[in-house]
């Protein structure tokens, strides 16, 4: 009878120890899941921003801005005023 009680007690201790170990792992996995979900949300937002930029790059307004800023091009009826260098 004592041997059975010792075996049952040993099993309870082992099961309890494994249970605590599994709870700790579960907490760690939950943290990782939360971090990964946050990264997924950030990447979805980034994808949306890239799609918006892609749409904007294909507009006439963007092409005109690049032509004016980078290439110095203007329409025939436009007048450009440049500030004088102050010395």
């Amino acid at each position: 009878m004592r041997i059975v009680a010792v075996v049952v007690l040993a099993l309870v201790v082992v099961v309890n120890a494994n249970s605590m170990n599994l709870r700790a792992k579960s907490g760690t996995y939950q943290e990782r899941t939360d971090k990964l979900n946050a990264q997924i949300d950030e990447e979805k937002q980034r994808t949306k921003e890239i799609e918006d930029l892609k749409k904007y790059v294909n507009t006439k307004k963007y092409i005109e801005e690049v032509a004016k800023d980078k290439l110095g091009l203007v329409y025939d009826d436009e007048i450009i005023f440049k500030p004088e260098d102050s010395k």
Side-chain angles (χ1 to χ4, degrees):
M1 189 69 161
R2 288 184 184 179
I3 294 174
V4 173
V6 170
V7 170
V8 169
L9 183 62
L11 286 174
V12 168
V13 169
V14 169
V15 168
N16 192 22
N18 285 337
S19 175
M20 290 192 316
N21 188 19
L22 288 175
R23 284 185 193 143
K25 284 183 181 181
S26 176
T28 302
Y29 291 145
Q30 186 62 42
E31 289 176 16
R32 284 182 63 191
T33 301
D34 293 342
K35 286 180 183 179
L36 290 173
N37 284 333
Q39 286 179 350
I40 288 170
D41 292 340
E42 290 173 7
E43 289 301 319
K44 284 181 181 178
Q45 179 63 30
R46 186 170 172 244
T47 300
K48 184 184 179 313
E49 291 172 0
I50 290 171
E51 288 297 322
D52 291 345
L53 181 62
K54 182 178 175 184
K55 289 177 186 176
Y56 175 66
V57 167
N58 290 324
T59 63
K60 184 176 180 179
K61 182 179 177 183
Y62 175 77
I63 294 170
E64 287 177 353
E65 286 177 8
V66 170
K68 286 181 181 181
D69 294 340
K70 305 283 184 192
L71 304 175
L73 301 177
V74 294
Y75 286 109
D76 291 335
D77 58 347
E78 278 186 310
I79 299 172
I80 305 250
F81 294 99
K82 294 184 180 179
E84 291 183 17
D85 292 335
S86 56
K87 290 185 180 181

